[in-house]
């Protein structure tokens, strides 16, 4: 009897732990300093989301939207995989986007799951109808307090176009004197982003390594394998900073362990 009791308690504790690990949102905040950031963009707040994979956070995404609303972002960027290629349901993404566009301008780039999904065209139509800016190899100027920066996005290699080809396309449209923010689903090309001279890059894809362990960090990430180098946090090289989101949902592997779903908030600071 005691054995059954302790087994039942252990199962309840384990289930509760896994539920918390996969549903309790965490907000990570960083400040990015640069003398290239115009003073008009001092304290400009960028909220970064990635890899929803059709996950729901409460009824009508209310838990996720509630946390985002409290941050009062100036802009929201989403770096791909808002849907999952194994699902035919656009509702989780639609419910989220419906509410995000009411909070701030939203910029989006596709990830590999968009390109692998039969719903890609329907998703693009939905996003555009809601006012989301899809930055597939495009550049947009953002103005604030009379000053300007530029926001660009790279298409995912699943599209058939290489990262280098995408970089070439947007580099021809970019203005080197402006502070550049680039959205790209995959962080593995960090050295390439650095050589291109991008100032701030937002990426996802790695899911934080799915399982995170002390000292080791992330255990596995697609495209990087075991012990991935770029699974979360900020990475800096030369004049480029890359912010990697641990993401919100799961795909092939259904659990996050010591790796709660993440909202990233970046505040720009002019030096």
């Amino acid at each position: 009897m005691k054995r059954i009791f302790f087994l039942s308690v252990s199962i309840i504790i384990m289930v509760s732990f896994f539920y918390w690990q996969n549903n309790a949102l965490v907000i990570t905040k960083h400040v990015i300093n640069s003398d290239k950031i115009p003073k008009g963009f001092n304290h400009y707040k960028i909220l970064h989301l990635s890899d929803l994979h059709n996950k729901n956070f409460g009824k009508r995404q209310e838990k996720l939207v509630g946390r985002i609303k409290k941050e009062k972002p100036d802009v929201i960027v989403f770096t791909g995989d808002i849907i999952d290629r194994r699902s035919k349901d656009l509702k989780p993404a639609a419910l989220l986007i419906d509410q995000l566009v009411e909070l701030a301008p939203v910029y989006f780039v596709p990830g590999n799951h968009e390109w692998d999904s039969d719903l890609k065209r329907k998703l693009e139509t939905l996003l555009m109808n809601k006012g989301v800016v899809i930055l597939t190899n495009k550049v947009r100027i953002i103005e604030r307090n009379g000053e300007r920066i530029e926001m660009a996005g790279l298409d995912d290699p699943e599209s058939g176009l290489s990262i280098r080809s995408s970089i070439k396309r947007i580099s021809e449209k970019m203005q080197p004197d402006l502070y550049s923010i680039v959205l790209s689903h995959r962080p593995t090309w960090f050295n390439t982003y650095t050589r291109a001279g991008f100032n701030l890059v937002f990426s996802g894809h790695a899911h934080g390594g799915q399982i995170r362990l002390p000292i080791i960090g992330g255990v596995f990430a697609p495209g990087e394998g075991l012990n991935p180098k770029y699974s979360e946090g900020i990475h800096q090289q030369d004049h480029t900073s890359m912010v990697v989101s641990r993401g919100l949902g799961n795909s092939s592997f259904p659990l996050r362990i010591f790796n709660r779903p993440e909202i990233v908030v970046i505040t720009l600071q002019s030096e």
Side-chain angles (χ1 to χ4, degrees), residues 102-148:
E102 298 295 324
L103 302 179
V106 180
Y107 293 82
F108 178 87
V109 291
N112 55 301
H113 277 257
E114 275 80 30
W115 274 104
D116 288 343
S117 172
D118 295 335
L119 298 178
K120 182 177 186 294
R121 300 305 175 194
K122 288 185 178 179
L123 174 67
E124 288 179 343
T125 300
L126 183 152
L127 295 176
M128 289 188 291
N129 287 343
K130 297 297 181 183
V132 174
V133 180
I134 302 176
L135 285 177
T136 45
N137 299 327
K138 296 177 182 176
V139 180
R140 292 289 182 270
I141 299 297
I142 299 176
E143 296 189 6
R144 186 175 190 248
N145 299 324
E147 297 190 272
R148 303 187 304 163

Side-chain angles (χ1 to χ4, degrees), residues 1-265:
M1 192 70 181
K2 285 184 178 179
R3 183 178 297 175
I4 294 174
F5 173 77
F6 285 118
L7 179 61
S8 299
V9 170
S10 298
I11 291 172
I12 290 170
I13 291 173
M14 186 178 298
V15 170
S16 299
F17 172 76
F18 285 137
Y19 180 84
W20 179 67
Q21 283 289 299
N22 287 269
N23 293 278
L25 291 156
V26 62
I27 295 180
T28 304
K29 299 183 179 183
H30 300 283
V31 175
I32 296 290
N33 298 281
S34 172
D35 56 7
K36 197 175 179 181
I37 297 172
K39 290 192 180 344
F41 281 83
N42 242 353
H43 311 302
Y44 187 72
K45 191 179 287 189
I46 305 168
L47 191 137
H48 179 204
L49 304 173
S50 195
D51 299 273
L52 181 70
H53 287 284
N54 274 40
K55 184 173 175 60
N56 287 294
F57 287 90
K59 186 179 179 181
R60 297 185 58 81
Q61 301 286 16
E62 59 190 12
K63 293 180 180 178
L64 176 56
V65 173
R67 296 295 296 272
I68 293 170
K69 190 178 293 186
K70 288 179 181 178
E71 293 304 315
K72 299 179 180 179
D74 292 296
V75 67
I76 298 170
V77 299
F78 205 115
T79 52
D81 287 3
I82 194 171
I83 59 175
D84 194 276
R85 63 187 166 210
R86 297 168 301 171
S87 174
K88 301 299 181 183
D89 186 11
L90 282 179
K91 189 175 179 181
L95 285 172
L96 179 59
I97 292 299
D98 271 344
Q99 297 169 85
L100 292 186
V101 293
E102 298 295 324
L103 302 179
V106 180
Y107 293 82
F108 178 87
V109 291
N112 55 301
H113 277 257
E114 275 80 30
W115 274 104
D116 288 343
S117 172
D118 295 335
L119 298 178
K120 182 177 186 294
R121 300 305 175 194
K122 288 185 178 179
L123 174 67
E124 288 179 343
T125 300
L126 183 152
L127 295 176
M128 289 188 291
N129 287 343
K130 297 297 181 183
V132 174
V133 180
I134 302 176
L135 285 177
T136 45
N137 299 327
K138 296 177 182 176
V139 180
R140 292 289 182 270
I141 299 297
I142 299 176
E143 296 189 6
R144 186 175 190 248
N145 299 324
E147 297 190 272
R148 303 187 304 163
I149 61 174
E150 55 189 354
M151 178 91 71
L154 300 177
D155 208 349
D156 192 79
E158 290 288 330
S159 67
L161 192 67
S162 72
I163 288 289
R164 290 184 179 88
S165 296
S166 293
I167 288 175
K168 184 177 185 297
R169 286 190 180 192
I170 67 167
S171 294
E172 291 170 351
K173 306 172 187 177
M174 298 176 82
Q175 302 177 42
D177 57 317
L178 296 182
Y179 186 78
S180 59
I181 298 173
V182 176
L183 313 183
S184 181
H185 182 61
R186 305 194 191 213
T188 48
W189 296 87
F190 183 40
N191 289 336
T192 308
Y193 305 149
T194 301
R195 287 194 295 271
F198 300 149
N199 298 125
L200 179 59
V201 179
F202 288 94
S203 290
H205 188 58
H207 294 201
Q210 205 69 53
I211 299 169
R212 299 193 64 79
L213 300 175
I215 302 175
I216 294 174
V219 171
F220 178 85
E224 293 186 79
L226 295 172
N227 193 22
K229 184 176 182 180
Y230 306 119
S231 63
E232 60 101 36
I234 291 188
H235 303 266
Q236 293 180 309
Q237 184 174 305
D238 297 335
H239 298 291
T240 302
S241 299
M242 180 174 71
V243 180
V244 184
S245 167
R246 296 201 303 270
L248 296 164
N250 300 315
S251 183
S252 301
F253 188 77
L255 293 175
R256 289 169 171 261
I257 301 174
F258 304 116
N259 179 30
R260 288 159 57 193
E262 181 182 47
I263 299 168
V264 180
V265 179

